[in-house]
Amino acid sequence: MDVLESLPGTGGGAEADERDVARFKAGEEAAFERLVRRHEREVYRLALRLLRNPDDALEVAQETFLRAYRGLSSFRGEAAFRTWLYGIALNAARTRQASLSKSLSRAQRLEGDEDDPPSPLLSVSDPAPSPENRALGGELKEALLAALSRISPEHREILLLREVEGLDYGEVGVLLGIPEGTVKSRLARARRAVREALEGIWP
Amino acid sequence: MTCDEFLDLLDRGEALPPEALSHLDSCPACARAHLLASEAARGLDALKEDESPPDLHARLMAALPAERPRLLHRRLPWVLPLAALFVAALLGGFSLLTFLRRERPEALPLPRPSVAAPHPAIEKPEDSIPEARKQAPAEGTLPAGDSAEALPPPPPRPLELHREPPLTLSEDLREVRPAAPAPPAVAAAPAPQANTQSLPSGRGLLDEGEPPSAGGTAEAPAAQEGAASSPVLCALETLDRSRYASLQLPPGLCPPPGAHWYVVLGEGRVTAVTDGQGRPVLNAVEEVDGAVRYLHLPPGRYKLRRVG
C-alpha cells in the first residue's frame, strides 16, 4: 500500500499524507520517511526549476525536509501537507536565491567595471539554448528555461506552481498569500511575460 | 475581435472561442503569439520531467539523522548500547584510576576512609549514641560473614560530614575499645565479625627505616605501632565540635590515644597537619589529604583524634 502511494500519479496522496502525518505525530518515525519518499522528487524539481542548479536544488530539498521534520509536530493540517511542504520549499529556495544573488553582485563588483560583459560563470542564470541541446531535441525546454530566467521571480514561481507542479488556484493562493482572483490575473501576466520572452529565443 | 481581446483570452489560458480562431486567420502577429503560447505550454510540460539524482532519497535522509535520534536507534539498534557501554567503561576506568591513585604502589593498601560503623567494642555505651546512629547500617562495610578476600573492595565513596550534634566520645569510648592494634581486646570480643576486620589492613604512615624525626617535628605514631596495624576509629571535627566525621584510618594517620592533631584544609586539600603543640607531623599531609579529601569539607582548621 505504501509503495503504491509513494508512486507518482497513483492517487490518494493527500489521504496517505494525512495518515502519515498523524502516525508521525504519534511517534512512528517511519511515517516521515514515507512522506519524504512521496514528495522528494517534486520538491527537488521545484527547487531545480527555481534555482537552475542541481547542487542548490539538493540543498534546498534537504533544508525543506529538515524544516518539515522539525515543524511537523506543530502542523495543524489547515492546508494539505503537500501545500505546506511546497511553502517550505518556496521559502528555502527564495532564501537560497537571495544568498546567491548577494554573492553574485559581490562577485560582479569584484570583477571590476560594470560596463564589462559578465563573466560566463556569472551568467548561468540566463543561458541560450546550446547547439547540442537543439540537436538532441531539448531545445524547446532550454528555450523555455531561458525565457523563465528572464521574467520576474513572482511570475516564474506562479507559472511553475501552476503549470509544472499542477497546484490548483486555491493551493497557489494559499502558498503565495494572495486571493484566488489575484492568482488568475497574475498567472495571465506571467504567461504573457514568458511568451514575450520566448519571442527573442524561439524561431 | 481586436488583437488585445485575443491576447487577453490567450493569456488567460482558456479555450479560444470560434471568433478568436477566425481572428488568427487574419492577424499574423496574433498567430505568432498563439504559436509561442502553445510552445510555452509544451515547454512547461517538458519541465515536469524527473531530473532528480538516483540517490536523492538517500541524500535527503542522510541530512536528517542528526535530527532523528529515534530513527537512528531503529536503524542501528547496536549504536546506543555500544555508546552506553563505552560511557560505562570510561566511568569505570576513571573510578579505578581514582582508586589506584590513592593506593601506594608498595606494601599493603591503605584502608579506605569510611564512615565509622559502630564497632562492637564501642557499642557498649549505647546511651551516649543517638538512636538513629545505632540503627543506621554502616557505609562501606561488609555484612557479617563476608570478608575482604571474598568480595572485591568497594570503591572509595565520598563521606558525609555529619551535621548532628557531636558524639560524646573520647574518654568513655577509648576505655571501652582499646586502641588498635589491641589484639587481645578484639580477639576476646564475643562477636568478632566487626567492621574493621572486614577492611584491609592499614599500613604505617612512615616507611620502615625512615630516620626518626628531628627537633621540632612530631613523629607519627606509626613508627611505634608498626606498619601493618589494624585501622583505628578516628574523629575529624571542627574546633567548636559542631560538626564531625568519623573515619577508620591506619594508626599512622591518627594521633596517639589521648592526643589530637590539627588538620588545616585549604581549598580542596589538606595543607598542614600539626600536633597539639603546632609542630608539623612528619609525612602526614599527603596521607591525611588522601583520606579526607572525599569529605569535601570547607576550608578551615579541624581537630583529628583517635576514638577507638
Side-chain angles (χ1 to χ4, degrees):
Chain A
M1 186 64 177
D2 286 333
V3 173
L4 283 178
E5 286 169 355
S6 71
L7 296 173
T10 50
E15 290 170 14
D17 285 350
E18 274 182 37
R19 201 163 47 244
D20 281 333
V21 167
R23 285 176 179 170
F24 177 77
K25 286 183 175 180
E28 185 186 326
E29 295 281 344
F32 189 77
E33 188 165 356
R34 288 197 293 273
L35 289 166
V36 174
R37 195 175 287 284
R38 201 174 293 129
H39 295 287
E40 61 193 7
R41 278 169 288 182
E42 55 199 29
V43 166
Y44 176 84
R45 179 176 58 201
L46 178 65
L48 181 65
R49 298 307 176 214
L50 286 169
L51 300 170
R52 306 217 51 206
N53 178 293
D55 292 335
D56 293 334
L58 181 63
E59 278 191 30
V60 165
Q62 285 173 333
E63 177 70 15
T64 299
F65 285 107
L66 203 56
R67 290 188 198 175
Y69 183 85
R70 290 171 179 165
L72 194 53
S73 55
S74 58
F75 171 64
R76 288 175 296 179
E78 289 168 351
F81 172 78
R82 185 175 77 140
T83 310
W84 179 73
L85 193 65
Y86 271 126
I88 297 174
L90 208 52
N91 281 332
R94 285 170 180 165
T95 304
R96 181 79 184 161
Q97 185 62 61
S99 159
L100 291 172
S101 300
K102 206 177 287 183
S103 307
L104 188 66
S105 64
R106 195 164 41 235
Q108 280 172 336
R109 279 201 303 275
L110 290 173
E111 283 277 315
D113 196 335
E114 288 181 359
D115 294 334
D116 289 345
S119 152
L121 284 176
L122 302 178
S123 59
V124 289
S125 61
D126 185 14
S130 65
E132 293 82 5
N133 265 333
R134 281 176 175 274
L136 292 169
E139 62 268 29
L140 176 60
K141 187 174 155 190
E142 286 295 314
L144 187 79
L145 287 171
L148 283 174
S149 70
R150 294 178 185 185
I151 65 177
S152 71
E154 68 174 20
H155 285 161
R156 187 161 53 241
E157 281 178 4
I158 202 167
L159 269 179
L160 291 173
L161 290 172
R162 171 67 185 157
E163 308 292 354
V164 177
E165 301 305 328
L167 272 61
D168 61 34
Y169 293 126
E171 287 177 309
V172 175
V174 168
L175 266 178
L176 301 180
I178 53 177
E180 229 175 281
T182 309
V183 171
K184 289 177 182 172
S185 58
R186 186 182 293 179
L187 202 50
R189 288 198 298 277
R191 287 193 187 106
R192 175 168 297 197
V194 80
R195 177 167 54 78
E196 290 173 352
L198 262 183
E199 181 66 73
I201 302 171
W202 193 245
Chain B
M1 175 175 276
T2 66
C3 289
D4 285 342
E5 289 170 339
F6 175 84
L7 293 175
D8 281 345
L9 274 176
L10 185 67
D11 292 334
R12 263 186 259 151
E14 296 171 2
L16 295 176
E19 63 263 32
L21 292 175
S22 59
H23 175 76
L24 279 180
D25 294 336
S26 60
C27 180
C30 286
R32 169 71 179 163
H34 183 253
L35 171 72
L36 289 176
S38 302
E39 293 291 76
R42 208 159 58 86
L44 284 168
D45 203 48
L47 295 187
K48 293 176 182 171
E49 179 188 342
D50 180 22
E51 294 180 27
S52 58
D55 59 347
L56 176 65
H57 183 74
R59 295 173 77 171
L60 292 178
M61 296 309 289
L64 294 178
E67 303 283 325
R68 304 156 65 226
R70 284 181 293 173
L71 253 189
L72 183 68
H73 184 211
R74 181 174 64 81
R75 292 185 160 200
L76 304 172
W78 47 269
V79 167
L80 291 183
L82 198 66
L85 203 63
F86 179 70
V87 170
L90 271 183
L91 290 176
F94 179 75
S95 299
L96 184 65
L97 195 66
T98 308
F99 178 75
L100 291 177
R101 278 174 54 196
R102 296 193 50 233
E103 299 288 338
R104 292 286 286 261
E106 72 280 2
L108 294 168
L110 279 174
R112 293 167 302 284
S114 68
V115 173
H119 190 281
I122 63 171
E123 280 174 359
K124 201 169 179 180
E126 289 180 355
D127 294 342
S128 64
I129 302 176
E131 193 62 28
R133 279 184 55 79
K134 281 194 290 184
Q135 295 176 357
E139 290 186 55
T141 59
L142 299 175
D146 286 340
S147 67
E149 290 75 27
L151 288 176
R157 302 176 61 177
L159 298 181
E160 185 181 348
L161 190 65
H162 299 273
R163 292 172 188 279
E164 57 197 80
L167 281 174
T168 53
L169 34 81
S170 22
E171 298 306 322
D172 291 342
L173 299 182
R174 246 196 333 270
E175 286 172 11
V176 172
R177 184 179 187 277
V186 172
Q193 301 305 319
N195 301 309
T196 49
Q197 292 179 340
S198 64
L199 293 171
S201 301
R203 62 178 295 275
L205 182 64
L206 299 176
D207 293 331
E208 285 186 6
E210 186 164 330
S213 60
T217 304
E219 188 173 0
Q224 298 96 35
E225 300 186 25
S229 301
S230 301
V232 294
L233 186 64
C234 300
L236 185 70
E237 60 192 12
T238 55
L239 296 186
D240 63 2
R241 302 185 67 184
S242 62
R243 304 170 79 194
Y244 80 98
S246 45
L247 312 166
Q248 282 188 314
L249 299 172
L253 291 186
C254 217
H260 63 265
W261 290 351
Y262 290 108
V263 176
V264 182
L265 273 177
E267 287 294 339
R269 61 168 293 122
V270 172
T271 57
V273 179
T274 62
D275 65 6
Q277 282 73 50
R279 295 174 301 174
V281 179
L282 190 66
N283 289 350
V285 170
E286 185 184 342
E287 302 284 5
V288 174
D289 179 60
V292 307
R293 67 167 52 178
Y294 296 103
L295 297 172
H296 303 297
L297 298 172
R301 198 156 174 246
Y302 294 83
K303 187 184 282 186
L304 179 68
R305 61 179 174 169
R306 183 172 300 203
V307 176

